[in-house]
Amino acid sequence: MSSVSTHVLDTGLGIPAHGVPVRLSRITADQTVLLTEGATDEDGRITKWEPGLEAGTYQLRFDVAAYAAASGQSIFFPEVTVTFTITDERHYHVPLLLSPFAFSTYRGS
């Protein structure tokens, strides 16, 4: 089984994005199934999702609007969705760099 983590950094404020609601779903040809949900910790991280993940396509959905409202910011993107594929048993890290008018992500380590 594989594992996945995420780290959200608010590059506009230069701090970790604490309290960002995040949902992890599995995507198949005919449906999207919510597996679990949580929120980033004080360091902007969710370090491990349960349960372990098998090979397949997954989606992290970040509720950026909720984070922006809680931190007193306005933001252009109310939601960021990152879809990725797990191909083998290892750890996958999906960082999100967030600002009021842009976002970026990459496969981390």
Side-chain angles (χ1 to χ4, degrees):
M1 300 295 266
S2 296
S3 61
V4 66
S5 61
T6 190
H7 187 196
V8 183
L9 296 170
D10 184 330
T11 60
L13 295 177
I15 59 172
H18 167 28
V20 178
V22 185
R23 293 179 172 198
L24 175 65
S25 299
R26 177 149 189 189
I27 300 175
T28 63
D30 57 343
Q31 64 181 341
T32 300
V33 177
L34 177 64
L35 300 177
T36 189
E37 55 191 325
T40 56
D41 64 13
E42 293 287 330
D43 194 36
R45 297 177 185 270
I46 297 177
T47 56
K48 188 175 180 184
W49 292 94
E50 295 294 339
L53 306 175
E54 299 175 353
T57 302
Y58 294 86
Q59 183 178 78
L60 287 172
R61 179 171 262 165
F62 300 86
D63 186 349
V64 177
Y67 167 72
S71 60
Q73 302 180 70
S74 65
I75 197 152
F76 182 69
F77 299 99
E79 177 179 278
V80 173
T81 302
V82 179
T83 303
F84 59 98
T85 303
I86 290 178
T87 57
D88 53 11
E89 291 187 13
R90 66 201 272 150
H91 179 73
Y92 290 82
H93 184 63
V94 183
L96 178 64
L97 305 176
L98 184 63
S99 76
F101 303 106
F103 66 89
S104 178
T105 187
Y106 56 95
R107 179 177 167 184
S109 58

